[in-house]
Amino acid sequence: QDLFESPDFYNIDDLLTEEHKLIRSSIRDFVKKEITPYIEDWAERAHFPYEIVKKFGDIGAFGPTIPEEYGGGGLDYISYGLIMQEIERGDSGMRSTASVQGSLVMYPIYKFGSEEQKKKFLPKLASGEMLGCFGLTEPDHGSNPSGMVTNFKDMGDHYLLNGAKMWISNSPKADVAVVWAKNEEGRIHGLIVERGMEGFTTPETHGKWSLRASTTGELVFNDVKVPKENLLPGKSGLGAPMMCLDSARYGIAWGAIGAAMDCYDSAVRYSKERIQFGKPIGGFQLTQKKLSEMLTEITKAQLLNLRLGQLFNEGKATTAQISLAKRNNVDMALKIAREARQIHGGMGITGDYPIMRHMANLESVITYEGTHDIHLLILGKEITGIPAFE
Ligand code: TGC
Ligand code: FAD
C-alpha cells in the first residue's frame, strides 16, 4: 500500500494545475525515498543530515518562487505551498531547513538586496551550495522583536556588529546569516553576516525534544566587522523582517497539513488493521468520530490554503489572513497528532510510527514564526483596530 495517500475529500486536485500535481508528486517521491526511511533514526540521534541541503537544492525546494535568473524556480505560491506540505509530511524539521532558506534568507536578499548581493548569494543558496539562517529572535526578545538589542555602529569603512540571537534554525551549519540589528538611531536593518567573519560564532542548542533532526543554535556577534556592502539596502524597520515572516508563515500553514496528513494516513491504516474485541478498532464509533473529525479539519485547512495561495499569487494576502491560516492549521495538525496517538494505543508512543515525532515537532511549529497566542492577537488587532501587545 502507498504510504503517502493524500486525503482529497473535496476534489481539491481538480483546482490544481498539472504543473502543481507534478511538482507535488516529485517532492512526495523524494521525501518517500530520501527522508522517510531515515527520519526516525535522525530524530532519535538528534542528527541533522547535512547532505539533505544539496539534495533539496537539486529538487528545487529552496526559493521556488524566486525568479529563475537568480537560480530560483520561478513558480507560483501554490507550488511553494505544496512543496512545503510534502516535505513536512516527512518531517517538520526538514521543512524548517527548506523554508528558512527560501522564505527567510533568499526572500530578503531577493526583495531588499542589491544586484551584487543577489548575484553573489542567491544562485548558491538555491542550489544548496550554501546554507543560510535568519536571526531575529534574541534571548530577551522573542514575541517582541522590536525590542531587540543587537546593534551595529558605522565605523566609516565597515559596520561593527554586537549582540546575540537565539533559537536560530540552521545556524550551526549556516554559511550566511541574515541578521536584523539596530543602527545608532535605533532603526532595524538587515545585514548579511558570513561564516568566517572574526568575532562571529554559532553555538549549537542541545537538549531539544522537538525538531530533533533540525539543527538550531545561537548567533553571537562580538565586535564583528561587517563590510558595508553586506547591508540590505532595500528596506529598513520591523516591516522588513515581518514581510519575510509573511512568506514563511504561509509555508508553515501548508507544511502543517503535511504533518496532519501523515498522522491521519497512519491512523486510518492502523484502525483497519488493529483488532480488539473481535473487530478492527476502526469499526468502533469512537474511532470513527476521531477519523471523521481529522478528515473534516484537514479538508477545511486545504480549502483555506488554496484560497490563501490564490491571494498570494495576486499579491493580495494580508498579514492577518496569513496569521489565521498559520494558527488554525498548526493547531489542527497538533490536535490530529494527539488523536492519532490515541488511535495507535501504546504503539503510538514508539518510533515505529511517525506520530510522536510529528506531535513533538509541532510543539515548536506552534511556537515559532509567532506563537499561537500572538497570531490570535494579530487577528484581534485586525478586528478591533486596537493592538493588545503593549
Ligand atoms: P507593529 O507596531 O505591529 O509593526 C511595526 C512596524 O512593522 C510594520 N509591519 C509590517 N510591514 C510589512 N509587513 C508586515 N507583515 C508587517 N507587520 C508589521 C508595521 O506597519 C510597522 O511599521 P511602521 O512603519 O509603522 O513602524 O509591531 P509590534 O512591535 O507591535 O509587534 C507586532 C507583533 C507582536 C505582531 C510582531 O512583532 C510579531 O509578529 N511577533 C512575533 C515574532 C515572530 O514571529 N518571530 C519569528 C522569528 S523567525 C522564526 O521563528 C523562524 S522559525 C522558522 C523555521 O524553523 O521554520
Ligand atoms: P516569548 O515571547 O517569551 O513567549 C512566551 C509565552 O508568552 C508565549 O506563550 C507567548 O504567546 C506569550 N506572550 C508573549 N507576549 C504576549 C502578549 N503580548 N500577550 C499574550 N501572551 C504573550 N527565531 C528566529 O529568529 N529564527 C529562527 O530560525 C528561529 N527558529 C526557531 C526554531 C525553534 C526550534 C524554536 C523553538 C524557535 C525558533 N525561533 C527562531 C524563535 C521563535 O520565533 C520564538 O521562540 C517565538 O517567536 C517566541 O518567542 P519566545 O520563545 O521568546 O517566547
Side-chain angles (χ1 to χ4, degrees):
Q1 192 181 356
D2 185 357
L3 293 181
F4 284 73
E5 292 290 322
S6 177
D8 182 21
F9 199 60
Y10 266 41
N11 301 347
I12 295 166
D13 271 12
D14 293 352
L15 305 175
L16 301 178
T17 63
E18 285 310 309
E19 188 184 40
H20 290 147
K21 286 185 260 187
L22 203 66
I23 290 165
R24 184 182 58 191
S25 66
S26 72
I27 303 291
R28 191 174 287 179
D29 287 348
F30 172 86
V31 169
K32 197 171 170 178
K33 195 162 142 262
E34 301 286 350
I35 295 180
T36 303
Y38 313 108
I39 188 63
E40 295 299 340
D41 175 56
W42 296 336
E44 198 175 323
R45 291 191 287 120
H47 169 70
F48 172 63
Y50 181 74
E51 63 283 1
I52 204 80
V53 175
K54 189 75 191 62
K55 292 179 185 174
F56 275 154
D58 290 344
I59 58 160
F62 292 147
T65 60
I66 301 285
E68 286 169 282
E69 63 173 306
Y70 297 115
L75 299 173
D76 73 348
Y77 272 89
I78 293 176
S79 306
Y80 174 51
L82 289 166
I83 293 170
M84 294 302 117
Q85 173 187 295
E86 292 309 315
I87 297 178
E88 193 149 356
R89 190 196 283 271
D91 187 70
S92 305
M94 293 293 97
R95 194 268 308 137
S96 270
T97 304
S99 61
V100 166
Q101 180 99 332
S103 287
L104 298 180
V105 182
M106 295 175 69
Y107 175 88
I109 295 174
Y110 171 64
K111 210 72 186 168
F112 316 131
S114 65
E115 198 51 38
E116 292 71 36
Q117 290 168 344
K118 289 183 211 183
K119 287 197 176 119
K120 179 174 174 190
F121 294 107
L122 291 179
K124 288 185 178 168
L125 288 162
S127 67
E129 201 178 319
M130 271 188 173
L131 182 66
C133 67
F134 174 90
L136 181 66
T137 305
E138 298 188 351
D140 293 330
H141 300 93
S143 296
N144 175 27
S146 66
M148 68 173 68
V149 293
T150 298
N151 65 88
F152 62 98
K153 287 196 175 86
D154 189 336
M155 306 303 281
D157 63 340
H158 65 269
Y159 298 119
L160 202 63
L161 178 66
N162 277 289
K165 300 287 176 180
M166 194 181 174
W167 290 119
I168 308 304
S169 300
N170 295 350
S171 100
K173 297 282 182 193
D175 303 288
V176 288
V178 170
V179 175
W180 302 94
K182 285 180 176 166
N183 68 9
E184 285 143 294
E185 286 80 50
R187 183 89 184 153
I188 295 172
H189 286 266
L191 296 162
I192 304 172
V193 180
E194 298 174 64
R195 184 169 295 282
M197 287 180 176
E198 210 179 317
F200 173 43
T201 50
T202 59
E204 186 168 2
T205 301
H206 295 286
K208 288 183 298 161
W209 285 102
S210 171
L211 291 191
R212 288 172 60 80
S214 160
T215 181
T216 315
E218 297 165 50
L219 301 173
V220 182
F221 315 106
N222 196 354
D223 280 341
V224 181
K225 283 185 185 172
V226 181
K228 284 203 154 171
E229 65 264 23
N230 281 28
L231 181 120
L232 295 175
K235 189 168 169 69
S236 64
L238 188 66
M242 294 310 290
M243 279 173 67
C244 308
L245 292 181
D246 281 350
S247 167
R249 289 167 178 175
Y250 167 77
I252 290 175
W254 281 86
I257 294 186
M261 281 176 173
D262 201 38
C263 293
Y264 170 78
D265 285 346
S266 185
V268 171
R269 271 196 307 278
Y270 193 81
S271 71
K272 289 182 188 170
E273 288 162 5
R274 176 71 177 165
I275 311 286
Q276 287 295 287
F277 299 97
K279 69 175 185 181
I281 56 168
F284 298 119
Q285 289 179 352
L286 290 175
T287 311
Q288 290 186 2
K289 176 177 185 289
K290 288 184 175 68
L291 294 173
S292 302
E293 287 176 350
M294 287 181 195
L295 182 61
T296 305
E297 292 308 317
I298 289 173
T299 304
K300 282 154 67 180
Q302 285 172 317
L303 290 166
L304 196 59
N305 275 5
L306 186 71
R307 179 62 190 140
L308 188 61
Q310 290 167 343
L311 290 170
F312 249 93
N313 283 341
E314 294 164 11
K316 289 193 207 151
T318 67
T319 297
Q321 286 169 338
I322 299 160
S323 282
L324 189 152
K326 191 268 183 184
R327 181 174 187 276
N328 180 78
N329 294 4
V330 178
D331 189 51
M332 168 284 291
L334 193 47
K335 285 181 178 142
I336 285 180
R338 288 177 184 145
E339 291 290 73
R341 222 287 307 141
Q342 298 268 8
I343 288 177
H344 287 76
M347 288 311 291
I349 70 155
T350 71
D352 290 356
Y353 295 88
I355 315 299
M356 200 71 183
R357 177 174 48 79
H358 282 307
M359 195 197 302
N361 282 343
L362 288 162
E363 290 291 346
S364 286
V365 182
I366 205 164
T367 295
Y368 66 32
E369 303 264 8
T371 67
H372 192 61
D373 285 344
I374 286 296
H375 288 295
L376 188 86
L377 298 181
I378 291 173
L379 283 167
K381 179 180 168 187
E382 179 79 5
I383 296 164
T384 64
I386 309 165
F389 311 112
E390 295 103 35

